[in-house]
Amino acid sequence: MVIALGGVHQVEVGTLLLPADPQEEPVKIPRDLRQLARRAEAAGWTITLTSNNHLAWKPPSGRTVFCPSTPSDHRSVQNVIGKLRRAGLNTR
């Protein structure tokens, strides 16, 4: 399966999204957020990995939403979905 995130085509392998360019770092997307990542990309959002291994979800306009690339508890995914919804992403 090929996914475009941030304008760069990436190939999904396990829990990583590997960039087409082998020089770039893979972007780790938690399994529960992958479908949401596809939706965000289709809506013009970009998702990048920060230097401290967090995901930065950048909408076409508005504020950037940061979330961990490795959720630590069972509420983490629901909290990220809520943050993205408040930032303007259609999560349903």
Side-chain angles (χ1 to χ4, degrees):
M1 172 182 298
V2 176
I3 302 169
L5 291 177
V8 178
H9 287 281
Q10 302 176 337
V11 181
E12 184 174 347
V13 179
T15 60
L16 297 177
L17 292 175
L18 300 175
D21 181 1
Q23 300 296 339
E24 294 182 26
E25 289 292 317
V27 177
K28 300 174 189 176
I29 305 274
R31 183 175 295 132
D32 297 334
L33 294 177
R34 287 187 196 150
Q35 184 176 5
L36 197 56
R38 291 183 192 100
R39 243 185 235 165
E41 192 277 331
W45 290 54
T46 58
I47 303 169
T48 57
L49 189 64
T50 66
S51 61
N52 60 357
N53 289 326
H54 282 71
L55 297 173
W57 300 67
K58 298 176 186 175
S61 62
R63 64 185 176 96
T64 301
V65 175
F66 294 94
C67 74
S69 61
T70 56
S72 60
D73 67 356
H74 70 282
R75 288 286 313 159
S76 183
V77 172
Q78 289 84 0
N79 292 338
V80 170
I81 291 171
K83 286 182 182 180
L84 294 171
R85 187 180 311 123
R86 287 187 294 276
L89 181 64
N90 182 6
T91 60
R92 296 171 199 224

